[in-house]
Amino acid sequence: MQPLADLDAINRRAWRDPATVRMYQHLEGWTDPGEQVAVESVAAEMRSLPILDIGVGAGRTTGLLRAISCDYVGIDYTPEMVEACRVRHPGARVEHMDARDLGAFSDGQFALVVFSYNGIDAVDFADRMRVLREVHRVLRPRGIFLMSAHNRDAPGVSTQRPRLHLQFSWNPLRLGWRLLQLARSWVRSAANYRRFASMTQAHGEWTVRNCAAHDFSIVILYTSLAGQKRQLQEAGFVLERVAGSSDGQWVTVDIDTRNPWLHYIARKAG
């Protein structure tokens, strides 16, 4: 079994890859209906108040959140993503910073903290709890934390395998190019899948395993809805609502088996 100490280095390498940065530079808008529903449900309350955007990547969420408040700070732990975001949003404050150490910010500095696109799943469980405690510290009383996380109980989580999916075209040049790209992707995916298979670990309400994204080049933590609720409570939050990624509906069950990931709206006690 490969030690989880390698998880952080594996995922940082994937996010810093030039191909990944280019992909993130082209991302726009909401990742899914659940993200839109979750953000819009708190927008009126957070209007013009200070916002911290964690894991900002190349700036997909920057415009969405600055539409709520110009009092905005975005952070990311990879310098390549920070630079891409600054180029894309020259008027925004974007800093190179790790969510596990928000020491540059004072206690209670922000009214809203957002950690989108399941970014918190890229660190191990101990660091995940460290992030939650740091977010709790920098939030003001009654402040809101909006985060998304992969759902361990979603269908297919435990059966992900490299597969070939070709988008057909009648244009022979385009089809040939797609075949070449597919072959390259499959070789990378198969190699990464074999390389990281030994890192799979199950721990009650959460599981660490290789993820299909980026040609299986990342290893992430999947947690159950109940497990994530417990983590938030342990860090001092009260979970208010959960939105599903698939259809943007509010989740009212204790075990969700429909949504690949979930959006959590949690509040710091006041």
Side-chain angles (χ1 to χ4, degrees), residues 77-96:
Y77 77 163
T78 56
E80 293 82 0
M81 290 291 189
V82 170
E83 181 58 28
C85 186
R86 287 173 174 169
V87 169
R88 186 173 181 180
H89 299 282
R93 179 186 171 189
V94 184
E95 304 291 349
H96 180 214

Side-chain angles (χ1 to χ4, degrees), residues 14-240:
W15 305 138
R16 299 186 70 173
D17 187 284
T20 304
V21 176
R22 286 193 298 270
M23 187 198 79
Y24 274 64
Q25 286 175 314
H26 291 93
L27 293 181
E28 293 183 353
W30 309 106
T31 58
D32 57 82
E35 181 179 60
Q36 182 174 3
V37 165
V39 173
E40 290 181 348
S41 72
V42 304
E45 182 182 353
M46 295 294 122
R47 188 75 59 194
S48 300
L49 297 179
I51 296 174
L52 174 62
D53 189 3
I54 300 175
V56 70
R60 178 188 64 84
T61 52
T62 303
L64 300 174
L65 295 178
R66 291 184 79 205
I68 298 173
S69 176
C70 291
D71 191 351
Y72 169 94
V73 183
I75 67 170
D76 200 282
Y77 77 163
T78 56
E80 293 82 0
M81 290 291 189
V82 170
E83 181 58 28
C85 186
R86 287 173 174 169
V87 169
R88 186 173 181 180
H89 299 282
R93 179 186 171 189
V94 184
E95 304 291 349
H96 180 214
M97 196 180 303
D98 194 315
R100 289 165 287 196
D101 180 7
L102 301 177
F105 304 126
S106 60
D107 296 358
Q109 183 169 339
F110 298 98
L112 173 65
V113 177
V114 178
F115 203 163
S116 64
Y117 222 172
N118 314 311
I120 197 170
D121 296 337
V123 297
D124 65 25
F125 185 79
D127 282 343
R128 186 186 190 89
M129 295 307 301
R130 190 171 291 114
V131 170
L132 294 179
R133 289 190 291 269
E134 274 291 86
V135 169
H136 186 271
R137 181 185 65 79
V138 301
L139 269 174
R140 61 179 57 173
R142 302 290 298 163
I144 290 177
F145 179 38
L146 200 162
M147 60 164 280
S148 61
H150 283 92
N151 177 16
R152 193 203 61 179
D153 299 318
V157 168
S158 61
T159 58
Q160 295 184 94
R161 300 288 189 280
R163 291 181 175 87
L164 296 174
H165 298 286
L166 176 65
Q167 184 181 0
F168 181 76
S169 172
W170 290 107
N171 184 317
L173 293 177
R174 183 173 297 170
L175 181 61
W177 174 251
R178 288 177 180 172
L179 281 168
L180 177 61
Q181 294 297 100
L182 181 64
R184 289 175 174 172
S185 176
W186 190 87
V187 169
R188 287 194 299 267
S189 295
N192 286 329
Y193 183 80
R194 288 193 300 270
R195 179 184 176 193
F196 300 135
S198 62
M199 295 188 69
T200 299
Q201 296 187 23
H203 298 267
E205 293 174 331
W206 55 274
T207 300
V208 172
R209 65 179 302 113
N210 192 202
C211 176
H214 311 296
D215 294 331
F216 286 86
S217 65
I218 58 175
V219 180
I220 64 172
L221 190 148
Y222 294 82
T223 187
S224 66
L225 193 160
Q228 187 57 64
K229 181 177 180 179
R230 246 182 286 278
Q231 294 165 25
L232 288 164
Q233 288 175 336
E234 184 179 329
F237 292 98
V238 176
L239 181 62
E240 293 193 340

